[in-house]
Amino acid sequence: MENLPRIVAVLLDGVPETVIAAAGGILLTILLAFSAGLALLSEHRLLRAISRTYVEFFRGTSEVVQLFWIYFVLPVLVGIQLLPLFAGVVVLGLNHGAYGAEIVRGAVSSVPKAQVEGAKALSFSPRDIRWRVVMPQAVLEMLPSFNNLFIQLLKSTAILSFIVVSEVTERGVQVLVPNFGDDIVLIFVLMLLIYLVLAVLITAVMRWLERIGARRLGRRPSASARTAAVAAAH
Amino acid sequence: MQPSEPMIVFEGVEKRFGDHVVLSDLDMTVAPGEHVTLIGPSGSGKTTILRLLMCLEKVDAGTIRVGGRYLTHMEKNGGLVPADERYSREVRKRIGMVFQQFNLFPNMTVRRNLTEAPTRVLGLSKDEANARAEELLDLVGLGDKIDAHPTQLSGGQQQRVAIARALAMRPDVLLLDEVTSALDPELVAGVLSLLQDIGKSTDITILCVTHEMGFAQDFSHRVMMFDGGRIIEDAPPEELFGAPRHERTRTFLQAVSG
Ligand SMILES: Nc1ncnc2c1ncn2[C@@H]1O[C@H](COP(=O)(O)OP(=O)(O)OP(=O)(O)O)[C@@H](O)[C@H]1O
Ligand SMILES: [Mg+2]
């Protein structure tokens, strides 16, 4: 236990890299999820095909192997060497963007057809129908699924330890375990706790967005959001 | 548009869903300001006619004209070609529709439900659109609900808002598809009397599908009985309800009156 302060300090040292990787990954995920998700719903076959290929490829192959490709194979093939953290953000974004595309597609197609017809009956342009009627309703529908996805992404940042980004897992496994082998239980408990705290933060932000969205629809927040708020208050 | 020109003309309209012919060789004319009610058994194609007018479905054959302009087709190099989305939207601006399930936008307040299309589609200024919205909400008796969300309103109130929303576009033609069918019984009369008022105080051409035969009798200038995708009887309400000529109309009227 006398090593606790030093162990904590080393792990916290890795938090910024973990947070940057997660935040960058989330931004790229959102960008790719919306582009690919809307492309999946496009009238153009080619666009749909490209998007479908992207989604299936990144969902169907290992994230770790993708990371090795981008970090180790790409330099050999085309001579581009990415910074480790940047390579990590790219892989996290590409991967979770593929899952996110399905979330976006599902939410947009779950908006009742009657909404589109109501808008057509008012002669809205296709563009206004999408961005003023369908998307605002769909985005609200997406929030809980994106919450899950972002938490998964956060946990996936641990793979960056394979390319020696000094994030939380790398700090623990590469730095602490060799030096404080007797405290191995403590080290890994603390690592779990750090990820847990970050995940709770993500959930808090997403719930807040859900509440704002629900208010915009004149609805009370969903039952689960309310229970969580009550639980958090106690 | 010539003064004598009909507001709506269907000529040889055919509509199929797969092999199922819903409307075949349908001819129909509605004069400006006329109130026409469509009645007939379930599946006879009443909703389909309104949806064709709203361009929510496409005709398989024949043409539809509204206010003297083709809705389904556009003139090009002296011939007729199927209308594209932009052209249809232009003609469709003159038509409003109220749905059985209201179809209000839940992501907008009542005010925005009423002002969004007038500003974005008709190019009204915000003030003009707001003034129009307030006036119409007063007309439908919901002036105090302008900042409410649709989810906070009863079915009857939502349908009144939907009627006001359609009127905010100042349409020449209003399509009403069983607008009281989804309402609790005690709310039906209020919405129907609102429609009566609108019918009396405006010169909008109204095409209406309803199972409320009492309302149809008071409200319409003409009633059309549909069956099997065709108009089998077309007469003023006194005649059609008082002395139906066709056996099929008689049995249908008996069935709906219970
Ligand atoms: N999108 C569609 N795809 C396939 N068939 C359809 C579609 N829309 C309507 N139909 C069919 O077309 C026929 C006419 O439907 P329509 O909704 O116009 O009838 P209706 O007279 O309005 O009936 P109701 O009184 O039940 O509302 C029905 O047999 C229906 O099953
Ligand atoms: Mg119908």
Side-chain angles (χ1 to χ4, degrees):
Chain A
M1 269 300 171
E2 74 275 17
N3 292 326
L4 182 65
R6 290 192 55 195
I7 291 174
V8 170
V10 172
L11 285 177
L12 287 183
D13 205 33
V15 169
E17 308 270 299
T18 295
V19 169
I20 291 169
I26 286 172
L27 283 181
L28 190 57
T29 293
I30 295 171
L31 196 78
L32 288 170
F34 275 84
S35 316
L38 292 179
L40 285 176
L41 293 163
S42 163
E43 288 164 13
H44 301 287
R45 274 186 65 169
L46 183 66
L47 225 55
R48 285 205 307 271
I50 292 172
S51 183
R52 181 49 65 197
T53 309
Y54 157 67
V55 169
E56 296 307 337
F57 180 82
F58 281 93
R59 280 200 313 193
T61 56
S62 154
E63 213 173 4
V64 176
V65 176
Q66 289 163 20
L67 183 68
F68 290 168
W69 262 89
I70 287 198
Y71 192 66
F72 297 120
V73 183
L74 220 55
V76 179
L77 282 183
V78 291
I80 301 172
Q81 179 64 65
L82 298 179
L83 293 173
L85 185 57
F86 187 71
V89 166
V90 169
V91 166
L92 290 170
L94 282 170
N95 234 282
H96 294 85
Y99 288 96
E102 287 293 349
I103 295 175
V104 170
R105 189 190 60 79
V108 169
S109 29
S110 80
V111 173
K113 238 182 95 198
Q115 287 291 310
V116 175
E117 296 187 341
K120 277 192 181 167
L122 293 163
S123 296
F124 279 113
S125 66
R127 196 195 167 100
D128 279 351
I129 294 177
R130 163 158 287 175
W131 293 105
R132 292 181 179 261
V133 175
V134 175
M135 282 313 264
Q137 299 181 45
V139 166
L140 207 64
E141 206 56 41
M142 296 170 200
L143 290 176
S145 309
F146 268 120
N147 187 9
N148 277 333
L149 188 64
F150 294 162
I151 288 175
Q152 266 160 16
L153 185 148
L154 166 73
K155 293 185 291 188
S156 286
T157 56
I159 65 169
L160 270 63
S161 62
F162 289 131
I163 56 170
V164 216
V165 173
S166 35
E167 43 68 62
V168 171
T169 301
E170 193 268 350
R171 297 278 95 182
V173 175
Q174 307 292 335
V175 179
L176 292 175
V177 172
N179 294 310
F180 302 96
D182 293 343
D183 293 316
I184 191 154
V185 174
L186 179 64
I187 292 169
F188 280 96
V189 165
L190 288 172
M191 278 165 63
L192 287 181
L193 279 177
I194 289 176
Y195 284 108
L196 183 61
V197 168
L198 293 176
V200 168
L201 281 177
I202 291 178
T203 299
V205 171
M206 295 303 281
R207 296 276 199 213
W208 175 67
L209 290 175
E210 273 181 61
R211 273 200 300 281
I212 291 180
R215 210 173 311 136
R216 289 193 137 201
L217 291 198
R219 267 204 312 237
R220 308 266 308 272
S222 68
S224 59
R226 255 180 288 135
T227 334
V230 171
H234 282 277
Chain B
M1 186 177 136
Q2 304 299 313
S4 58
E5 180 134 20
M7 182 58 86
I8 301 171
V9 181
F10 278 56
E11 255 173 9
V13 168
E14 179 174 307
K15 178 65 198 170
R16 279 178 269 124
F17 290 107
D19 292 340
H20 179 37
V21 180
V22 179
L23 301 173
S24 61
D25 199 20
L26 178 75
D27 295 323
M28 176 176 101
T29 306
V30 179
E34 200 177 15
H35 299 169
V36 174
T37 298
L38 311 179
I39 62 170
S42 179
S44 56
K46 308 178 297 290
T47 296
T48 303
I49 289 180
L50 302 192
R51 291 175 58 86
L52 285 169
L53 275 164
M54 207 69 254
C55 301
L56 297 173
E57 306 284 357
K58 285 194 165 66
V59 294
D60 290 304
T63 57
I64 300 175
R65 268 174 293 158
V66 174
R69 285 177 78 185
Y70 283 103
L71 177 69
T72 47
H73 295 74
M74 49 190 192
E75 276 146 302
K76 202 174 186 180
N77 309 327
L80 284 182
V81 296
D84 61 24
E85 157 73 26
R86 183 181 290 262
Y87 173 87
S88 300
R89 215 168 350 122
E90 214 36 57
V91 184
R92 196 163 68 179
K93 275 184 196 166
R94 319 182 53 177
I95 310 174
M97 182 159 180
V98 182
F99 300 84
Q100 190 173 338
Q101 297 294 343
F102 335 132
N103 300 11
L104 294 176
F105 306 128
N107 56 316
M108 302 179 191
T109 58
V110 168
R111 180 194 300 275
R112 268 194 68 210
N113 265 279
L114 264 67
T115 55
E116 195 77 359
T119 49
R120 300 208 53 92
V121 178
L122 302 180
L124 258 62
S125 75
K126 237 180 151 174
D127 288 346
E128 288 170 314
N130 266 319
R132 201 181 267 195
E134 281 157 22
E135 184 189 315
L136 283 166
L137 282 176
D138 284 338
L139 174 79
V140 303
L142 291 172
D144 56 332
K145 298 288 185 197
I146 192 157
D147 291 314
H149 281 273
T151 43
Q152 296 160 339
L153 303 179
S154 74
Q157 291 172 328
Q158 291 190 48
Q159 195 58 294
R160 287 159 182 272
V161 172
I163 292 167
R165 181 175 74 171
L167 293 176
M169 296 295 280
R170 300 263 160 94
D172 296 327
V173 177
L174 187 61
L175 310 175
L176 307 171
D177 191 8
E178 298 196 37
V179 296
T180 57
S181 298
L183 300 181
D184 291 338
E186 73 269 22
L187 301 173
V188 170
V191 171
L192 291 179
S193 79
L194 170 65
L195 291 173
Q196 291 279 14
D197 292 346
I198 291 168
K200 288 202 184 84
S201 60
T202 67
D203 53 7
I204 302 176
T205 308
I206 300 179
L207 215 57
C208 158
V209 175
T210 184
H211 292 301
E212 304 284 337
M213 294 305 158
F215 169 76
Q217 184 140 17
D218 295 340
F219 181 75
S220 353
H221 303 121
R222 202 145 56 95
V223 180
M224 292 179 184
M225 166 75 193
F226 274 83
D227 197 22
R230 292 172 176 280
I231 302 170
I232 60 169
E233 196 157 349
D234 176 356
E238 314 77 61
E239 260 177 57
L240 196 131
F241 292 120
R245 277 180 216 196
H246 283 260
E247 183 53 33
R248 190 71 194 83
T249 314
R250 268 195 292 277
T251 50
F252 173 75
L253 290 175
Q254 264 160 18
V256 291
S257 65

